[in-house]
């Protein structure tokens, strides 16, 4: 078998320094250039992607929370409105009742007042009429009696006595 | 299996003077050396190194320049490589500190991967990393880095103590274990790192070369051997995929071990 590892040329484990220098230069260029211009871009893309995904999720969650809050608010407003309406209705009813009661009371008072006034006027007129009648009747009666009797009842004492007796008879 | 069959087919030729001569190391790796190869052992390898570096630069700069939130297919691929090293190696091994190392480890991974994968690319057909100087230089750099990081974090004595002293063992055992730990952690790690990559790529290239040369030899010798050429030809195809695996795996292992060494150097206890 020919010797596979027989070193007739450069040694297998040799370290040719020309290749070493070129290799170091190449690797150094790669390390520095990629570190500065390539890998950070990928990191940025990762970050942007994460941001986009997480941002999207956060945005959706925010929207959902907003919607829920709005619904809650509307429900509250609706309940408030209902309550208010009930309150207004109740107030209106109470007010109407009170107005009604008030009116009735006022009307009643007015009626009573009018009735009382009428009564008073009536009484006054009656008293006046009675007084007038009493005067007239006395005079008329005396005149008539004078004419009938033919004698003047000018005597004042007699005249009064006659009238009083007449009236007493009239009232009894 | 196919390979051993191919080798068995080749064996009867051994005695003949005009029989199969496997390519030598010089023919396989250093056929275009400058002089005795102490400066440039192969111009082809140097050329591949420079072309590979340029290709990596162009590819990643082009994909990174327009790195968008919604990636194109090429950007997705480039990002995938970076993300693989960043999440799968750097952060996986080193935790939060791994993010800072991800760019360096990614560069190293891409560099080694491309320099390995040359082995199975037609025309190129020789892995740059099969020249011992490249794995050795990378391993030396890793050695300097992890020792530097460890000493920077713990101080020289603190680093040596954290690295070499295993806590919670009987005192006499330290006499045995401290030198062993020192030897393995401080002295031998870079060698195993370099030799693992180099040996895999060197041997892989030899396998590919032998299978290829065998195929050509059998085709040229005619007769029954003409039909037998199908065996090393099949072996070559199988080897192509096998070496694809090896090339990727060795790049991954090298970077993974680098991350582990860095993590161990920065760890507070053994």
């Amino acid at each position: 078998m020919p010797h596979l590892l027989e070193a007739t040329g450069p040694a297998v484990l040799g370290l040719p320094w020309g290749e070493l220098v070129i290799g170091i230069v190449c690797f150094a260029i790669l390390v520095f250039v990629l570190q500065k211009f390539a890998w950070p871009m990928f990191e940025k893309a990762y970050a942007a992607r994460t941001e986009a995904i997480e941002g999207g999720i956060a945005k959706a969650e925010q929207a959902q929370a907003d919607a829920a809050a709005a619904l809650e608010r509307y429900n509250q407003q609706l309940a408030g409105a209902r309550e208010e309406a009930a309150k207004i209705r109740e107030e209106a009813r109470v007010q109407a009742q009170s107005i009604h009661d008030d009116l009735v009371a006022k009307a009643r008072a007015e009626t009573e007042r009018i009735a009382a006034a009428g009564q008073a006027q009536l009484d006054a007129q009656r008293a006046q009429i009675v007084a007038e009648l009493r005067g007239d009747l006395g005079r008329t009666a005396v005149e008539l009696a004078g004419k009938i009797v033919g004698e003047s009842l000018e005597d004042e004492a007699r005249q009064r006595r006659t009238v009083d007796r007449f009236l007493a008879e009239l009232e009894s | 299996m196919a390979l051993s069959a191919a080798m068995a087919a080749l064996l009867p030729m051994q005695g003949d003077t005009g029989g199969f001569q496997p390519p030598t190391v010089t023919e396989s790796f250093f056929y275009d050396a400058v002089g005795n190869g102490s400066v440039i052992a192969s111009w082809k390898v140097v050329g591949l190194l420079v072309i590979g570096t340029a290709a990596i630069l162009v590819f990643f700069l082009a994909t990174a320049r327009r790195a968008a939130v919604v990636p194109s297919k090429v950007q997705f691929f480039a990002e995938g490589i970076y993300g693989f090293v960043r999440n799968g190696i750097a952060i996986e091994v080193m935790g939060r500190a791994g993010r800072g190392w991800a760019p360096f480890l990614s560069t190293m991974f891409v560099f080694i991967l491309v320099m390995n994968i040359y082995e199975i690319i037609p025309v190129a057909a020789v892995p740059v990393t099969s020249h011992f100087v490249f794995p050795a230089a990378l391993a030396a750099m890793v050695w300097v880095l992890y020792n530097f990081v460890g000493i920077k974090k713990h101080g020289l004595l603190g680093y040596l103590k954290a690295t070499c002293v295993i806590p919670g063992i009987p005192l006499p055992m330290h006499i045995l274990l401290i030198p062993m730990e020192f030897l393995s952690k401080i002295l031998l790690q870079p060698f195993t790192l370099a030799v693992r990559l180099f040996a895999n790529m060197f041997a892989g290239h030899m396998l590919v070369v032998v299978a290829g040369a065998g195929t050509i030899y059998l085709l040229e010798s005619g007769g029954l051997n003409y039909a037998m050429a199908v065996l090393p030809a099949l072996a070559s195809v199988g080897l192509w995929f096998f070496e694809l695996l090896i090339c990727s795996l060795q790049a991954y292992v090298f970077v993974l071990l680098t991350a582990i060494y860095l993590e161990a150097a920065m760890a507070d206890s053994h």
Side-chain angles (χ1 to χ4, degrees), chain A residues 137-148:
Chain A
L137 193 68
R139 201 172 48 248
T140 313
V142 169
E143 272 173 19
L144 285 175
K147 275 175 193 161
I148 294 164

Side-chain angles (χ1 to χ4, degrees), chain B:
Chain B
M1 290 290 270
L3 186 72
S4 56
M7 293 306 269
L10 292 171
L11 277 176
M13 316 298 162
Q14 299 267 313
D16 306 350
T17 45
F20 178 65
Q21 298 283 331
T24 63
V25 167
T26 304
E27 286 167 349
S28 304
F29 293 95
F30 310 118
Y31 63 91
D32 55 351
V34 176
N36 65 355
S38 65
V39 180
I40 302 289
S42 168
W43 273 119
K44 184 179 182 181
V45 161
V46 171
L48 292 177
L49 172 69
V50 173
I51 291 168
T53 303
I56 293 169
L57 274 182
V58 168
F59 177 71
F60 282 104
L61 288 183
T63 50
R65 215 163 59 89
R66 294 186 300 272
V69 173
V70 180
S72 64
K73 273 180 188 168
V74 186
Q75 187 199 330
F76 185 76
F77 179 66
E79 264 187 32
I81 294 173
Y82 176 65
F84 169 71
V85 178
R86 174 183 181 267
N87 302 327
I89 298 177
I91 291 176
E92 180 80 18
V93 172
M94 303 164 82
R96 288 177 61 85
R99 271 190 72 160
W101 286 98
F104 173 74
L105 292 176
S106 300
T107 306
M108 196 155 78
F109 176 74
V110 172
F111 180 76
I112 297 174
L113 182 66
V114 169
M115 297 312 156
N116 284 357
I117 220 90
Y118 271 136
E119 180 189 348
I120 55 171
I121 294 176
V123 182
V126 58
V128 174
T129 38
S130 66
H131 280 213
F132 185 60
V133 64
F134 299 111
L138 285 168
M141 179 186 64
V142 170
W143 181 76
V144 170
L145 261 182
Y146 77 73
N147 282 318
F148 175 77
V149 165
I151 291 169
K152 194 179 163 197
K153 174 149 188 210
H154 302 291
L156 181 60
L157 287 177
Y159 171 62
L160 285 175
K161 182 172 179 291
T163 307
C164 301
V165 180
I166 301 171
I169 56 167
L171 197 64
M173 288 298 281
H174 281 306
I175 301 165
L176 191 63
L177 285 176
I178 288 176
M180 277 177 65
E181 285 291 309
F182 181 81
L183 202 65
S184 75
K185 294 279 168 58
I186 309 288
L187 296 182
L188 293 181
Q189 261 179 4
F191 281 100
T192 57
L193 193 61
V195 168
R196 183 182 300 106
L197 178 58
F198 158 73
N200 269 286
M201 300 325 296
F202 183 87
H205 183 57
M206 284 311 282
L207 278 176
V208 173
V209 165
V210 167
T215 309
I216 291 166
Y217 171 77
L218 288 174
L219 284 175
E220 282 174 348
S221 54
L224 181 63
N225 285 340
Y226 196 80
M228 295 299 276
V230 75
L231 293 174
L234 279 177
S236 291
V237 174
L239 273 174
W240 193 92
F241 289 101
F242 179 68
E243 289 304 320
L244 176 63
L245 173 72
I246 295 290
C247 291
S248 317
L249 198 63
Q250 286 307 316
Y252 174 71
V253 165
F254 195 98
V255 175
L256 181 69
L257 284 173
T258 301
I260 289 171
Y261 294 164
L262 286 167
E263 199 276 331
M266 286 187 287
D268 286 324
S269 65
H270 198 279

